[in-house]
Each structure stands twice: as structure tokens, then as C-alpha cells.
Amino acid sequence: MLSYRHAFHAGNHADVLKHFVTIQLLKYLGQKDAPYMYIDTHAGAGMYALDSGEATKNAEFDTGITRLWGRKDLPAPLAEYVDLIRAMNPSGKLRFYPGSPYCAEKVMREQDRLRLFELHPRDVKMLAENFRKLEAHEAAQGRPAAARGKRVMISHADGFAGLKSLLPPPSRRGLVLIDPPYEVKDDYRRVKQTLEDALGRFATGIYAVWYPALQRMESRQMPEKLKRIPANGWLNVTLSISAPVPDGFGLASSGMFILNPPWTLEPMLREVMPWLVKALGSDAGASFVLESGQTLPVNTGTRRTG
Ligand code: SAM
């Protein structure tokens, strides 16, 4: 089923959380000269117009990026994210919003590699087109073609299955973002299965999973299930912009679950999340959760379900 189109949701509060955290994870990897690989298993179209088409339908960006756009007092990690978006809107008016691949491309260096999967025929076409335009723009700015070469690869394929073939990356350094639509329950199961398989191939990679915090059981159980995956620690951060809404009436809350998180992530989020809740919160139910830990012991004698 491929009815999901990210354009309807571009720039909403969930995108803010996901994209600002992803940028921080990539910046962490970029602290060392050694190259790294960024793999986006569900890449979307890469860039979205906010002033026309699908995005205008519910104007979800008004729950997210719009609220940060005019702020002069952004904490540094949010300023890095908003500055990236300001650079793609040189007129000063918020017209374009980046998808995760574009955010990554802007942060990554010439030696790093982007591998993008997208299954929707229209979105993968738009993704390729958006990257073609980006390359043409960069060529015009004098960036050497050889450096761009094989830097970006886009696959019209299932990202859950495709991930296997890329792990471990040659540089043994990397971030995998898993951001499925969760329109089908099977996505929850496949996220967990894909992570278990991926950690078997590339145990030291950083893995970031976005998930909707909905009332439905699969969603509520998701972080608890991911905490049991053997890894070198986990971090779970959620952002709620209001009190819970019944399923089917929009999304008030979402999370990023990170396996093998860099040690810098938690202190940074402790600083930024209270600010973000105030900036995006729409009622007294606005809140965040930030928790971390080591993987729960497995094989304890009692068999866990799920
Ligand atoms: N990561 C993007 C971003 O932050 O800008 C948004 C991705 S959107 C939430 C999920 C995307 O996954 C949709 O564009 C959808 O077409 C695509 N998709 C759904 N199932 C897929 C699969 N099995 N493999 C790859 N892409 C898939």
C-alpha cells in the first residue's frame, strides 16, 4: 500500500524533531575526518513546496517549522536546523522545506556517502529530480563533478530489504534513519526485525527510528520493544505538542528512538527539549520524554512476547 505522501506533513512538529536530531547525529559523525555513510531507508521526495500542492491542504507546517521561523532566540542545535532551511529560502519567506535526504546532504562532506531508498514511484522520481537540481546548482557554484560522483545513490526499492546490502559500510561509520509511514501495522514489526538484522551486520552503526506516538497498541509498545534489541545503549525522545488526540484526528506526539546514540545527544536534548515544548506546544498537555539506558538483558529464562 503506497497511499502515504509525506508532502501533506512536511515541516510539521514531527519533522522538526526528526530533522533536527538527524542533523545533530550527522554533525557528530562529521567531527572525525574519516568518511561515513548515511542511509535513509524511507527517503520521501527530498524537498517540499509549502506554498502549493499537498502541503497547503492542512498546513501542518504551522505546527512545526512556522513557529521557529521568525525566532531569534533559537538554541544552537535548532538554529543549525533552521539556518539550513533559511538557506533554501533566500527571499526570507518560508516556501520550501527539506526532507531528510536534503538535510543530510547539506550537512555531509564530500568524502561522505548518501544512500537513499524510496518505494513510491512519484516520490522517487521527485527525489531524483530534486538531487539533479541540487547538483546542477552546486556545479554552477564550482563544486567539482568528480567529488559529487558516487556520493549520492537513489534506489527505487524497499528500504527495509535494501539496507542489508549496504551493511557494514566500507568506512565502518554510519547513520541509518528508518522513517516508514506506519500506515500498515507491519511497519512496526519490520522496523524491529530490520534493526536486529542490521546490528548483526554493523554493530557499531548509529540507528535512528522515527515513530508516531499514537494510542494504537503497536505504537505504544514500539519503544519498549526496541529497548530490548542488543546494542551499545539506546535513547528515546518524544515530543508532544498537545494533550493526546484520538487516533485518526491528527498527530500530537512522535518520537525518535536511537540505538548506539553518541554520548553528546542526551545532554544536548536535555537543554533543547524544554525550549522546543514551549515553542511548539499548543496546550497544557505539551511535553517531552527523554530517557536512555542499556539494552535490557535478553534470555533471562522467561520468554518475552513480541
Ligand atoms: N524520511 C523522509 C523525511 O524525513 O523527509 C520522509 C519519509 S515518509 C515518512 C515515508 C516514505 O517511505 C514515503 O515517501 C513512502 O512512499 C516511503 N515508503 C513506504 N514504504 C517503503 C519501503 N518499504 N521502502 C522504501 N520507502 C518506502
Side-chain angles (χ1 to χ4, degrees):
M1 187 174 80
L2 278 176
S3 53
Y4 181 94
R5 307 298 307 282
H6 194 67
F8 287 101
H9 312 288
N12 69 5
H13 60 92
D15 262 6
V16 170
L17 177 69
K18 171 180 44 178
H19 293 154
F20 117 78
V21 170
T22 301
I23 288 169
Q24 290 305 309
L25 292 172
L26 291 171
K27 290 208 159 214
Y28 174 83
L29 283 169
Q31 284 172 5
K32 282 194 188 154
D33 285 344
Y36 65 83
M37 184 178 276
Y38 166 72
I39 304 170
D40 201 328
T41 59
H42 296 71
M47 193 192 288
Y48 304 91
L50 298 185
D51 56 358
S52 60
E54 289 99 337
T56 54
K57 180 114 192 291
N58 296 323
E60 287 193 23
F61 46 85
D62 283 344
T63 68
I65 185 60
T66 308
R67 288 174 174 242
L68 305 182
W69 193 242
R71 297 286 296 249
K72 302 272 186 280
D73 57 343
L74 297 161
L78 284 174
E80 287 171 345
Y81 155 73
V82 174
D83 283 351
L84 187 152
I85 305 166
R86 288 195 177 124
M88 64 194 283
N89 290 282
S91 73
K93 187 170 181 290
L94 177 59
R95 294 184 56 213
F96 299 105
Y97 184 78
S100 48
Y102 187 97
C103 290
E105 204 282 336
K106 285 290 149 202
V107 174
M108 293 170 73
R109 308 155 305 172
E110 285 180 358
Q111 67 264 41
D112 304 324
R113 299 284 175 265
L114 284 88
R115 300 291 178 260
L116 312 172
F117 293 93
E118 171 54 50
L119 208 47
H120 197 293
R122 243 178 91 188
D123 280 355
V124 78
K125 214 169 142 207
M126 286 166 69
L127 180 64
E129 185 56 29
N130 281 326
F131 268 83
R132 252 194 306 277
K133 282 189 201 148
L134 193 65
E135 290 199 352
H137 176 75
E138 288 183 356
Q141 312 261 306
R143 189 170 181 182
R148 295 193 309 273
K150 294 200 164 107
R151 193 164 166 264
V152 183
M153 283 192 192
I154 299 173
S155 305
H156 182 195
D158 179 342
F160 288 124
L163 178 61
K164 288 186 191 217
S165 62
L166 296 176
L167 300 182
S171 59
R172 299 291 199 276
R173 304 184 70 231
L175 168 66
V176 178
L177 174 65
I178 304 183
D179 180 25
Y182 298 98
E183 284 201 317
V184 288
K185 282 185 192 167
D186 203 37
D187 275 350
Y188 293 92
R189 185 191 61 79
R190 291 190 84 192
V191 166
K192 180 166 177 278
Q193 190 188 52
T194 300
L195 284 169
E196 283 165 344
D197 176 85
L199 278 148
R201 294 166 195 267
F202 178 36
T204 55
I206 303 174
Y207 297 87
V209 176
W210 179 87
Y211 66 95
L214 297 168
Q215 307 284 337
R216 66 154 78 163
M217 193 177 67
E218 296 77 19
S219 174
R220 281 190 279 117
Q221 290 179 344
M222 176 85 155
E224 294 314 312
K225 288 192 174 177
L226 300 187
K227 285 173 193 172
R228 291 181 210 155
I229 298 176
N232 190 18
W234 54 265
L235 180 147
N236 184 35
V237 57
T238 68
L239 170 66
S240 305
I241 58 158
S242 67
V245 291
D247 277 3
F249 290 89
L251 181 74
S253 182
S254 73
M256 282 286 270
F257 190 95
I258 293 115
L259 283 166
N260 295 337
W263 67 271
T264 47
L265 189 61
E266 185 163 2
M268 182 279 289
L269 289 170
R270 280 231 176 273
E271 293 257 310
V272 173
M273 291 309 293
W275 192 97
L276 198 55
V277 167
K278 271 197 202 136
L280 303 191
S282 61
D283 68 27
S287 61
F288 73 96
V289 170
L290 178 57
E291 50 173 2
S292 65
Q294 292 302 312
T295 308
L296 294 174
V298 281
N299 296 331
T300 51
T302 48
R303 187 148 179 255
R304 290 173 191 278
T305 51

